[in-house]
Amino acid sequence: MEQYRVKAGERTYPMGLHIVPEGIHVCTAAEGEHCRLLLFKDGELKPSQIIDFPPEYRRGNVFSMTVLLNDLSGLSYCFDIDGTRFSDPYGNGFLGREAWGDLERAQDIFLSPVKGTDFDWEGDSLPYISYEDSIIYRVHCRGFTKHSTSGVKWKGTFHGILEKIPYLKDLGITTVELLPVNEFQEVILPEVVQGNPFGVDKPTGKINYWGYGPGFYFSPKAAYASLETDPGRELKNLVKALHKEGLELMTELYFTGKEPASFVLDVVRFWAEEFHLDGIHLTGFLPLELLRNDPYLSKIKLLAHSWEEKIGEKRKHLADCNDDFLVDMRRVLKGDEDQMKHLAFRMRNNPSDRAVINYMASTNGFTMMDTVSYDTKHNEGNGEKNQDGNPYNHSWNCGIEGPTRKKAILERRKKQLRNAFLLLFLSQGTPLIMAGDEFGHSQSGNNNAYCQDNELTWLNWNLVKKNQDLLEFVKALIAFRKSHPVFRMSKEPRLMDYLACGLPDMSYHGVRTWCPEFENFRRQLGVFYCGEYGMKADGTTDENFYVIFNMHWEPHKFDLPSLKEGKSWHIVFHTDEIERNGMYGSGEESKVEGRNFLVPPRTIVVFMGK
C-alpha cells in the first residue's frame, strides 16, 4: 500500500468517513486516550496500515484527520481506541453483513468500505402528499416478499418491494412505510452474566426479526439488498421508482435512548437528505423537542408516539402515531359496553396542529384477521411459555378459536373485517394498514412475532386469490375515500353549521335523527356528513352521506335524515350483504324506499344522497 500522510482538515467535516480530493477525511468519537484508524485491503484480515489520530486534532472525545491517499480501491476500515476495535457508528456500509442471521459472525467487528455515496437521482422530487390525502401501507422489507409465493426475483429485499409497485398502485395506497431498515443486529445475542461460569456466550439462533434495538444508523441493512447491488443504491432506486409513480416512502427509526441527542438529529437528517425520504416514523426514546423544531426536517412527515403539548394553530408536518384509535375502535367492533362516545370522538378526531395516524392493527399485536379469529394470544412458538405479548387484544374469535371450516363463522369474520376497514377509512385522520391485512394475513394468534422469521410472518401471496373478496372490498373502500373529501377533511369537523347551509359539517344521531344516544348500554350510532363542507378537486361539493353503525348483536331500525327535494338515500356499503361482498359499485347504489331502515346485527351501512 502506498505511504500515507496526515494533515489537519481545512474545513469541518461531519462524523464518519468522507472522500476528499486528496484522499479521505475521518472523524469519530470515542472515550479513551489513543485512537487509531485501521485500513484493510480486500480479503485481508490484518490491517495494511495503522494510522494514529494526531492528538493536536482532538476536540473533546472527537478525533479527526485527513489522510492523503491516491488509490482508495479495495480499502475498508474500522477504528481502535486504546487497543479495542470498533466499527464506525457513521459507516455508510458494512462488509460481512450480507447474509441474514449469520450466527458465526454475529459478534464480529465489521469493516466499512471506503466509498462515496454518489447516486444519479435524475431530477427526483418528493410528492409531498398531505396527511389528509395519505394512506399509509406499513411493510416489513423481508417479510413482504420473502415467501415462495411472492412472485418476485429478489425475495425479501428492497428490489422485491420495487417489483410489487404495480400491486401497491392497484391497491390505492399513497405511502409505503418500512419497518427499520438501518443496519441492525438481527441475531439476538445472549446477556452475559458476570461471574457466571455456566452462562451461554454464543447466539442461540433466535432472531430479532423486526429490527428494534441498537444498530448502525447510517447504513441500510445489507441483508435487505439483492446480490446485484449495494443496499444504499438499492434503497435509493426504490425511492426513485416510487416517486416516479407518485408514491411516497417513509421508514421507521428506533432509538434506544442511549444515543446523544445530537447523534439522533444527525441520523434523522441523514435519512431525510441522503435517501430523499418523504417521512420518518420515530420510535423508542427521542429528543422530540429538538426534532420538531429542526428547520431541515420541516417539510417531511415526522411520526412519533405523541408530540405532547400543543404545537400551534396551523397543522405542520408532525403526526401522533399510537394505539389509542386501535384500542377504542376494536372495542367498538366487538360490541363492548360504553363505546359510542369513543366511536363519536375517533370518527372526528383530526387536530388542527398535528395529524393523527389511525390503524386497526400494528406490528406489536394481532393482525386484523387474527383480531376476528382469536380471543387470546398464542405465542408459544416464541419460547417464553406464552408469557410475552400484550394480554389485552380487544379481539373476538366470532365463535371458534383459530382456524375453522364452518361457513357461518368464516362469513362472520369476513363481515367483521369489512366493519373494521369501514371504521378505519371513514374516520378523519390518516389511515394506516399493515401489509397483508388487506388479504387476510394471519400469524396464527401470535401477537408478538418479534423473533419469528418464517412463514408465520412472511406474507403468503396465495391469500390474494383465496381472500379476493376482502382485497376487492379494501380497494373499493380506498377509492371511495379518495373520491369523497368529507371523509378526509384538512381540519376537525366542528359539529356546527358554520357555512350557514342549513346543516353542520358532521352530526350524530340515534335510532331517531338528531337524537344521539350515548348511554353505556348503547351500541349504535348514526353519523351525518354534509357534502357542502367537502370540496372536490374539480371545485364541486361532495355528496351528503349518512353512516349507521349498529355494533349490537340485535337489529335496530333507524330513521333516516331528510334530504333536499329531488334527492334520496342510496346504499353504498352494507356489510351484512354477503352476496354483494358488502358493497355497491359506482352507479349501482341501491335506492332506499321509506324514511327508516332496519340495520342487521353487527352491521355498518353507508348511505349516499343522490
Side-chain angles (χ1 to χ4, degrees), residues 475-489:
K475 287 165 60 175
L477 186 49
I478 289 175
F480 176 78
R481 178 184 173 91
K482 287 181 174 181
S483 298
H484 297 290
V486 292
F487 297 108
R488 45 181 179 85
M489 298 179 184

Side-chain angles (χ1 to χ4, degrees), residues 2-3 21-24 67-73:
E2 65 178 295
Q3 292 298 312
E22 59 268 64
I24 57 174
V67 181
L68 307 181
L69 290 169
N70 292 322
D71 185 11
L72 304 179
S73 59

Side-chain angles (χ1 to χ4, degrees), residues 268-470:
V268 179
R269 282 181 174 181
F270 171 81
W271 281 85
E273 178 66 24
E274 184 70 22
F275 294 101
H276 288 204
L277 294 185
D278 302 275
I280 306 287
H281 185 176
L282 302 158
T283 54
F285 304 89
L286 301 148
L288 292 179
E289 186 69 21
L290 185 66
L291 293 167
R292 64 184 278 187
N293 292 316
D294 185 67
Y296 286 99
L297 305 174
S298 62
K299 294 295 184 181
I300 68 167
K301 293 180 171 75
L302 290 182
L303 280 57
H305 181 270
S306 173
W307 293 99
E308 298 171 352
E309 72 273 9
K310 193 170 178 63
I311 298 164
E313 290 304 317
K314 186 177 180 181
R315 171 174 296 182
K316 294 187 178 180
H317 57 302
L318 309 178
D320 288 349
C321 186
N322 54 56
D323 287 352
D324 290 353
F325 181 93
L326 178 150
V327 171
D328 285 348
M329 289 305 215
R330 281 193 182 180
R331 296 192 67 188
V332 168
L333 179 68
K334 66 194 290 279
D336 280 355
E337 186 179 43
D338 199 21
Q339 294 304 308
M340 291 303 98
K341 58 187 177 183
H342 295 298
L343 171 61
F345 172 70
R346 293 298 168 194
M347 292 300 294
R348 73 172 186 272
N349 184 36
N350 193 20
S352 60
D353 64 327
R354 74 192 74 189
V356 290
I357 310 299
N358 299 327
Y359 50 87
M360 294 292 290
S362 185
T363 309
N364 188 7
F366 278 157
T367 66
M368 285 184 71
M369 179 59 83
D370 287 353
T371 299
V372 299
S373 305
Y374 293 91
D375 278 355
T376 58
K377 58 188 174 71
H378 297 270
N379 299 356
E380 292 82 2
N382 295 351
E384 300 179 39
K385 299 181 179 179
N386 205 29
Q387 297 302 304
D388 61 309
N390 191 343
Y392 302 102
N393 294 285
H394 311 291
S395 60
W396 176 46
N397 64 18
C398 294
I400 292 178
E401 187 76 356
T404 181
R405 299 178 115 183
K406 291 192 174 182
K407 186 177 180 180
I409 300 294
L410 295 176
E411 289 181 350
R412 192 177 300 149
R413 288 175 179 175
K414 286 286 183 71
K415 178 180 176 180
Q416 282 291 79
L417 286 173
R418 291 193 290 269
N419 288 336
F421 278 111
L422 279 167
L423 287 170
L424 176 62
F425 283 103
L426 299 186
S427 296
Q428 304 295 325
T430 303
L432 178 152
I433 59 175
M434 293 292 298
D437 277 346
E438 74 275 16
F439 53 74
H441 170 63
S442 171
Q443 292 178 172
S444 300
N446 192 317
N447 76 346
N448 187 36
Y450 73 97
C451 59
Q452 298 293 335
D453 175 39
N454 48 49
E455 295 199 359
L456 195 72
T457 52
W458 301 346
L459 299 191
N460 182 345
W461 289 86
N462 283 337
L463 293 174
V464 168
K465 183 177 181 180
K466 179 181 179 182
N467 296 322
Q468 184 72 28
D469 53 347
L470 178 61

Side-chain angles (χ1 to χ4, degrees), residues 96-166:
R97 299 287 299 160
E98 298 80 11
W100 170 272
D102 189 343
L103 303 183
E104 298 300 320
R105 303 202 63 185
Q107 295 171 304
D108 287 1
I109 301 298
F110 289 98
L111 306 180
S112 296
V114 176
K115 65 182 180 71
T117 58
D118 294 339
F119 182 77
D120 183 6
W121 283 101
E122 299 180 296
D124 174 75
S125 60
L126 278 60
Y128 289 116
I129 301 171
S130 65
Y131 275 115
E132 58 266 24
D133 293 331
S134 298
I135 298 170
I136 303 175
Y137 189 72
R138 189 161 155 82
V139 171
H140 188 285
C141 183
R142 181 172 170 85
F144 189 55
T145 60
K146 186 61 179 176
H147 199 277
S148 60
T149 59
S150 65
V152 304
K153 180 180 180 182
W154 300 108
K155 294 177 171 57
T157 66
F158 297 122
H159 198 280
I161 298 174
L162 188 149
E163 293 181 65
K164 286 291 186 182
I165 288 178

Side-chain angles (χ1 to χ4, degrees), residues 68-84:
L68 307 181
L69 290 169
N70 292 322
D71 185 11
L72 304 179
S73 59
L75 291 181
S76 56
Y77 72 99
C78 68
F79 298 114
D80 177 290
I81 184 73
D82 296 339
T84 300

Side-chain angles (χ1 to χ4, degrees), residues 520-533:
N520 65 312
F521 58 88
R522 302 291 182 185
R523 291 173 171 86
Q524 60 276 347
L525 185 71
V527 183
F528 189 105
Y529 298 83
C530 178
E532 294 291 328
Y533 297 85

